[in-house]
Amino acid sequence: MRIVFFGTPEFAVTTLEKLIITDNHEIIAVVTQPDKKRGRGSQMIPSPVKQVALKNGLPIWQPSRIKKDQETLQRLKDSQADVFVVVAYGQILSSEILAIPKFGCVNVHGSILPEYRGAAPIQWSLFDGKKETGITTMLMNEGMDTGDMLLKSYTPINLFTNFNDLSVQLANQGADLLLETLEKISLGQLTPIPQNDTKATYARLISKEDYTIDWSKSALEIHNQIRGFYPNCVTIFRGQNLKITQSLPLGEIENLELPPQFQKLPNYLQGINEISGNVGEIVKTIKNFGFVVQTGNGLLLILEVQLAGKKLQSAWNFINGTRLEVGESLISEVS
């Protein structure tokens, strides 16, 4: 197929790379968001998708507002594309654009639709503690992820999975599902299935406020927030912002198959149920693991942190470096 690829972040890169090395597809052009200022020097940095396109010598189009950009619209009309492939592009496509390609616009979405329509499906599925998610390919319409579904691919989520892990997994899964979808479209083997709008949920954009840890919530809720919004969840320790990047709710581990690095942890938890403190209080330290915080419901073991201006480190190294003591508290308000 002749393809115009729309995508911007790292999540879209795997699909683009697999399309490039597939012999029976031709990437006519790549449409991606304009370069953005990033980092301390405020340098203009191209999107991850643009970097791959540059490396492979592909034509790149970067309209700031694709609905209003007549030059890009004409290019798309002239492209004679069989299909537009859209993976986390970041702009809404007009009905005029959607109608251009012969087989329509195929979107790779990071959830099992109609659940988690919207901008951040992977993050919110983790935040909600879902035990399964996946990828849906669909034919796009003018709505927000409301188009008819083509294929689905499922994957389980365990308690140790964070946003980074799941993004990588789903990016690979999405790339494979997209290739299967295109093959079946070309062979006329797919019948689009309308979504059931009554079962739809929405995965809104994440705001800065979502990163603040509220220690009055349960240990499991906080853990899901930390892994869902990895690596950005933050609290206050000794007046400074402290990011919490890895945790484990101790009330959940009895029935878990623990990874090798946690096999010895139960040995340190004898009598843990008799320990309690105020919400946000550090009630115990565990050698080689980290420190335990009292939440509104249950105890949360903190395993990895990053103090403002410092590097990411294990919670055990943080304990030793700061001389952290049992009885100190973490505060929900952040600056």
Side-chain angles (χ1 to χ4, degrees):
M1 285 193 177
R2 288 172 55 81
I3 297 168
V4 175
F5 183 88
F6 294 70
T8 299
E10 194 65 41
F11 182 76
V13 163
T14 309
T15 301
L16 177 57
E17 288 177 333
K18 288 197 177 185
L19 282 171
I20 289 169
I21 63 173
T22 303
D23 291 336
N24 54 337
H25 297 304
E26 177 190 356
I27 307 293
I28 303 164
V30 170
V31 186
T32 189
Q33 293 274 53
D35 298 359
K36 288 187 177 179
K37 290 183 179 179
R38 292 185 177 89
R40 292 181 181 177
S42 292
Q43 290 181 315
M44 295 297 286
I45 305 294
S47 73
V49 161
K50 181 179 177 179
Q51 292 176 43
V52 171
L54 285 169
K55 218 179 281 184
N56 288 275
L58 297 172
I60 300 163
W61 306 337
Q62 292 181 273
S64 57
R65 296 181 66 193
I66 195 165
K67 282 186 174 183
K68 304 286 186 181
D69 194 300
Q70 293 302 311
E71 182 183 354
T72 300
L73 179 62
Q74 192 58 51
R75 283 174 166 174
L76 291 170
K77 287 179 177 178
D78 293 342
S79 68
Q80 296 184 315
D82 293 308
V83 66
F84 294 167
V85 170
V86 184
V87 188
Y89 169 49
Q91 292 191 48
I92 302 294
L93 304 186
S94 66
S95 57
E96 192 174 6
I97 293 173
L98 294 172
I100 292 171
K102 177 182 176 182
F103 293 110
C105 298
V106 176
N107 177 242
V108 177
H109 187 74
S111 78
I112 299 299
L113 290 169
E115 283 196 337
Y116 299 105
R117 295 172 177 174
I122 301 173
Q123 293 95 323
W124 288 109
S125 65
L126 289 164
F127 179 88
D128 290 340
K130 290 288 183 179
K131 294 182 179 177
E132 184 179 62
T133 187
I135 294 287
T136 305
T137 53
M138 67 171 177
L139 285 175
M140 295 175 68
N141 59 20
E142 289 184 82
M144 175 66 77
D145 302 321
T146 55
D148 290 352
M149 301 174 293
L150 298 170
L151 292 177
K152 294 182 179 182
S153 175
Y154 294 80
T155 189
I157 306 175
N158 67 49
L159 200 65
F160 299 95
T161 303
N162 67 21
F163 168 67
N164 189 59
D165 302 328
L166 192 54
S167 288
V168 171
Q169 185 175 339
L170 289 178
N172 280 287
Q173 201 169 324
D176 292 339
L177 193 66
L178 185 275
L179 292 177
E180 182 183 351
T181 300
L182 294 182
E183 181 182 4
K184 289 188 173 181
I185 287 174
S186 68
L187 296 172
Q189 294 177 349
L190 278 183
T191 302
I193 301 170
Q195 295 186 41
N196 183 345
D197 292 341
T198 63
K199 294 186 177 180
T201 57
Y202 181 61
R204 64 170 173 83
L205 280 168
I206 297 161
S207 67
K208 190 177 178 182
E209 289 73 26
D210 292 318
Y211 297 144
T212 300
I213 296 171
D214 178 357
W215 294 104
S216 69
K217 292 185 176 180
S218 72
L220 182 57
E221 286 175 312
I222 295 168
H223 171 73
N224 288 338
Q225 177 189 11
I226 288 166
R227 67 198 185 110
F229 301 152
Y230 176 90
N232 296 307
C233 289
V234 65
T235 187
I236 289 285
F237 173 74
R238 295 179 186 171
Q240 288 185 284
N241 282 4
L242 178 70
K243 284 186 177 180
I244 310 288
T245 55
Q246 189 181 8
S247 61
L248 183 60
L250 295 180
E252 304 294 321
I253 69 170
E254 274 187 27
N255 301 316
L256 281 182
E257 186 176 335
L258 294 172
Q261 66 268 36
F262 294 108
Q263 292 293 326
K264 293 182 179 179
L265 179 59
N267 300 335
Y268 296 95
L269 299 180
Q270 294 175 4
I272 194 78
N273 293 330
E274 281 95 54
I275 297 175
S276 65
N278 296 319
V279 167
E281 183 181 344
I282 297 164
V283 296
K284 183 179 177 63
T285 59
I286 301 178
K287 186 177 180 181
N288 295 325
F289 286 98
F291 56 92
V292 179
V293 181
Q294 178 69 58
T295 72
N297 182 10
L299 298 173
L300 188 67
L301 173 60
I302 306 304
L303 296 162
E304 187 180 73
V305 299
Q306 185 174 16
L307 194 60
K310 304 291 184 181
K311 291 181 179 178
L312 194 69
Q313 61 182 324
S314 72
W316 180 244
N317 286 341
F318 176 76
I319 290 168
N320 293 325
T322 60
R323 299 179 185 271
L324 177 147
E325 295 183 2
V326 170
E328 293 191 80
S329 289
L330 302 175
I331 301 170
S332 294
E333 293 180 12
V334 296
S335 56

